[in-house]
Amino acid sequence: MTEYLIYSQSLENYIIDLSSYIFVLILFYLIYLSNYIDRKTLIFFSLYSATPFFVNDFLFSSTLLWDQYTNTYYLIDFRDHILNGNYQNYITNMKSQERKLVLGAHLYGLIPFIFVNSINTIAFANKLILGLTSFYLLKNKYIKKSHLYFLLLFPATIIYSSLSLKEVLLAVSSIWVIILFDKKKYFLVVFLFSSFFLLRPQFY
């Protein structure tokens, strides 16, 4: 890959985004069928996960936050090398500074979206990660539903979780560090903290 894919709001972009959104909805619905969440929670997060459709090139130009394109570029690159079977050589030959930049995008590549060639793909991944973590927090009574909804409906949370940036992934990792520490899973705490510290040390 040598070029960035610029979001064009074309029919192809909408189909890619719709496929990612449907994937998120299916996972949420399966969790609902397992009685892990109730119907109101399902409806709320189904609607909440649709906001990426209305941020990039609606509220503002997607090119104003170029990191979205960098993350998407490396996500597509990850998929290409995985499918070609040469990921190990690709990551081994990469410079250490560049490796820190790309690994976050590669983590998003582990989510089995059918298509990833849209600026909103990582945004839908953020919605999925945020939703799954929220379900766990609610189920295990780490937070009241009213408090969680207040945090999720805060404008900054809505916007950042609707963009293809890594801040949501890093914030959620911090939550899991606290959860694992509370459960005395110290090895996992060190592993998770170290992994994400390498990706974005200034965040911590």
Side-chain angles (χ1 to χ4, degrees):
M1 289 184 58
T2 58
E3 297 180 355
Y4 284 90
L5 176 70
I6 302 299
Y7 188 62
S8 62
Q9 294 184 309
S10 65
L11 178 60
E12 180 184 3
N13 285 141
Y14 284 121
I15 291 174
I16 293 172
D17 291 344
L18 185 60
S19 71
S20 299
Y21 179 56
I22 290 174
F23 177 84
V24 172
L25 292 185
I26 290 173
L27 280 184
F28 287 174
Y29 187 69
L30 291 175
I31 293 171
Y32 164 72
L33 291 179
S34 70
N35 295 317
Y36 198 84
I37 58 174
D38 58 34
R39 181 175 303 219
K40 290 183 179 179
T41 302
L42 171 66
I43 293 172
F44 173 84
F45 280 94
S46 296
L47 295 174
Y48 189 77
S49 297
T51 58
F53 286 111
F54 309 105
V55 176
N56 274 317
D57 293 323
F58 279 87
L59 287 182
F60 48 76
S61 172
S62 58
T63 57
L64 289 176
L65 295 168
W66 195 255
D67 280 357
Q68 294 188 97
Y69 285 98
T70 300
N71 294 335
T72 302
Y73 172 89
Y74 284 120
L75 171 59
I76 298 170
D77 213 24
F78 169 80
R79 281 290 183 91
D80 288 345
H81 283 90
I82 287 292
L83 292 176
N84 293 332
N86 62 347
Y87 178 76
Q88 186 173 356
N89 292 333
Y90 161 69
I91 202 71
T92 301
N93 296 327
M94 190 176 291
K95 296 179 180 179
S96 59
Q97 285 300 109
E98 187 180 7
R99 192 177 296 123
K100 291 180 181 180
L101 180 65
V102 307
L103 286 179
H106 290 190
L107 288 175
Y108 286 111
L110 298 176
I111 299 175
F113 288 135
I114 299 174
F115 307 108
V116 296
N117 296 52
S118 169
I119 193 64
N120 288 325
T121 300
I122 292 177
F124 284 109
N126 281 331
K127 291 296 185 179
L128 176 62
I129 293 167
L130 197 56
L132 295 178
T133 301
S134 297
F135 298 159
Y136 183 87
L137 293 174
L138 290 173
K139 183 69 173 180
N140 292 275
K141 303 187 186 304
Y142 279 103
I143 189 171
K144 292 182 179 180
K145 185 178 289 189
S146 58
H147 294 169
L148 175 64
Y149 286 0
F150 174 79
L151 293 173
L152 292 177
L153 293 174
F154 199 72
T157 309
I158 295 174
I159 292 174
Y160 269 96
S161 66
S162 303
L163 298 171
S164 290
L165 300 173
K166 292 183 286 189
E167 276 71 14
V168 168
L169 179 63
L170 294 167
V172 167
S173 76
S174 299
I175 294 173
W176 279 103
V177 165
I178 296 171
I179 292 172
L180 292 171
F181 187 84
D182 178 64
K183 291 183 173 295
K184 297 180 172 57
K185 306 287 186 180
Y186 300 123
F187 175 79
L188 292 176
V189 169
V190 173
F191 175 78
L192 187 62
F193 182 86
S194 301
S195 300
F196 284 93
F197 181 83
L198 290 175
L199 295 180
R200 196 71 173 271
Q202 66 267 35
F203 185 86
Y204 290 99

